[in-house]
């Protein structure tokens, strides 16, 4: 980034922190069942990650990533889907690696990793991100038949982001996403899902904070992930 823009980025970051709208996490159980035509052979799905896995921006987990992905997969496969969400607000790849990963079920058919935004905001270097993501992917691959790694949504398009700050964070996100692709390419049963599949963004995709998804936004993101799962 042009050094002359750094003071602008710093000022916008401070403004952003002051203007951030606080929203609660999703209520209710962080697990559910979406009935299908074949209840005897359910598809076991785990969503692991940050505040998106924790359902921030919607009232219940059923409206969040878990419930939305479950319904998408029932439509695609006809199978009953049993989903579990393990997430935490502010979780980086390191926290997921050491705190959240041990909490997931021992075996799943599909495991979706939703992370990266907090690593971008925290200024983590690509090699640090890559080390932690690789460890999470390695262990996830031992616990699930298929692992999906969701890319980082484009920061420059988030409604809450001032323009210069958004572009600066987007540059960081691209660097982390490049590493994510390399990590995923090294595993035959792991797929990276580009965050740009969410574009174009519309205001209805976001909760009041302009950062986390609304129920429509979760449906959009889960549909993008579901469409990339080889079934």
């Amino acid at each position: 980034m042009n050094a002359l823009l750094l003071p602008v980025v710093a000022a916008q970051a401070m403004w952003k922190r002051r203007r951030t709208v606080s929203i609660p996490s999703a209520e209710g159980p962080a697990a559910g069942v979406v009935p299908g035509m074949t209840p005897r052979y359910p598809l076991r799905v785990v969503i692991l990650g940050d505040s998106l896995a924790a359902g921030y921006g919607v009232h219940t987990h059923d409206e969040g990533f878990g419930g939305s992905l479950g319904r998408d997969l029932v439509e695609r496969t006809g199978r009953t889907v049993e989903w579990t969400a393990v997430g935490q607000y502010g979780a980086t790849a390191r926290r997921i690696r050491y705190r959240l990963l041990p909490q997931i079920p021992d075996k799943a058919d599909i495991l979706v990793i939703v992370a990266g935004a907090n690593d971008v905001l925290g200024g983590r270097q690509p090699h640090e991100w890559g080390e932690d993501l690789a460890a999470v992917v390695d262990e996830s691959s031992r616990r699930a038949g298929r692992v999906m790694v969701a890319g980082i949504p484009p920061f420059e398009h988030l409604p809450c982001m001032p323009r210069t700050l958004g572009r600066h964070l987007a540059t960081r996100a691209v660097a982390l996403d490049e590493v994510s692709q390399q990590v995923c390419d090294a595993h035959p049963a792991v797929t990276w899902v580009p965050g740009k599949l969410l574009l174009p963004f519309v205001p209805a995709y976001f909760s009041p904070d302009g950062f986390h998804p609304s129920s429509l936004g979760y449906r959009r993101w889960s549909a993008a992930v579901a469409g990339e799962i080889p079934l």
Side-chain angles (χ1 to χ4, degrees):
M1 164 171 275
N2 187 330
L4 296 176
L5 293 177
L6 291 178
V8 178
V9 170
Q12 290 186 351
M14 184 176 296
W15 176 88
K16 173 67 180 64
R17 285 193 293 270
R18 291 175 177 173
R19 291 291 299 272
T20 297
V21 177
S22 178
I23 58 174
S25 62
E27 298 177 353
V33 177
V34 184
M37 298 296 293
T38 54
R40 292 184 60 188
Y41 303 100
L43 199 59
R44 296 161 298 179
V45 178
V46 174
I47 298 89
L48 172 69
D50 54 24
S51 54
L52 269 68
Y56 276 77
V58 291
H59 296 294
T60 67
H61 283 280
D62 186 63
E63 299 175 88
F65 214 114
S68 298
L69 183 59
R71 287 185 287 274
D72 288 329
L73 291 175
V74 168
E75 289 183 8
R76 288 192 63 195
T77 68
R79 295 172 63 181
T80 292
V81 173
E82 298 176 353
W83 60 267
T84 301
V86 178
Q88 185 180 67
Y89 183 89
T92 60
R94 179 160 291 262
R95 179 168 289 272
I96 293 167
R97 175 182 180 181
Y98 291 109
R99 299 290 182 86
L100 302 184
L101 190 56
Q103 300 178 29
I104 67 173
D106 289 336
K107 194 63 179 176
D109 296 298
I110 300 168
L111 192 150
V112 180
I113 299 169
V114 186
N118 296 306
D119 295 84
V120 170
L121 293 170
R124 298 198 72 210
Q125 295 300 307
H127 72 274
E128 297 174 315
W129 159 259
E131 178 183 343
D132 287 326
L133 180 64
V136 172
V137 166
D138 286 343
E139 180 59 27
S140 297
S141 297
R142 287 190 281 270
R143 299 191 184 205
R146 167 62 57 176
V147 176
M148 308 296 293
V149 178
I152 304 169
F155 269 87
E156 70 271 35
H157 294 284
L158 298 179
C160 67
M161 284 292 163
R163 181 173 299 178
T164 302
L165 177 60
R167 289 176 177 172
H168 173 63
L169 295 175
T171 300
R172 288 186 187 175
V174 167
L176 299 195
D177 270 341
E178 289 176 352
V179 174
S180 299
Q181 288 181 269
Q182 295 169 9
V183 170
C184 293
D185 287 346
H187 297 76
V190 179
T191 302
W192 181 72
V193 183
K196 289 185 177 180
L197 289 179
L198 298 174
L199 295 176
F201 279 154
V202 298
Y205 289 163
F206 295 91
S207 65
D209 70 354
F211 186 87
H212 293 93
S214 63
S215 59
L216 180 60
Y218 276 111
R219 292 199 298 273
R220 168 88 172 188
W221 204 189
S222 67
V225 171
E228 298 297 310
I229 298 174
L231 295 171

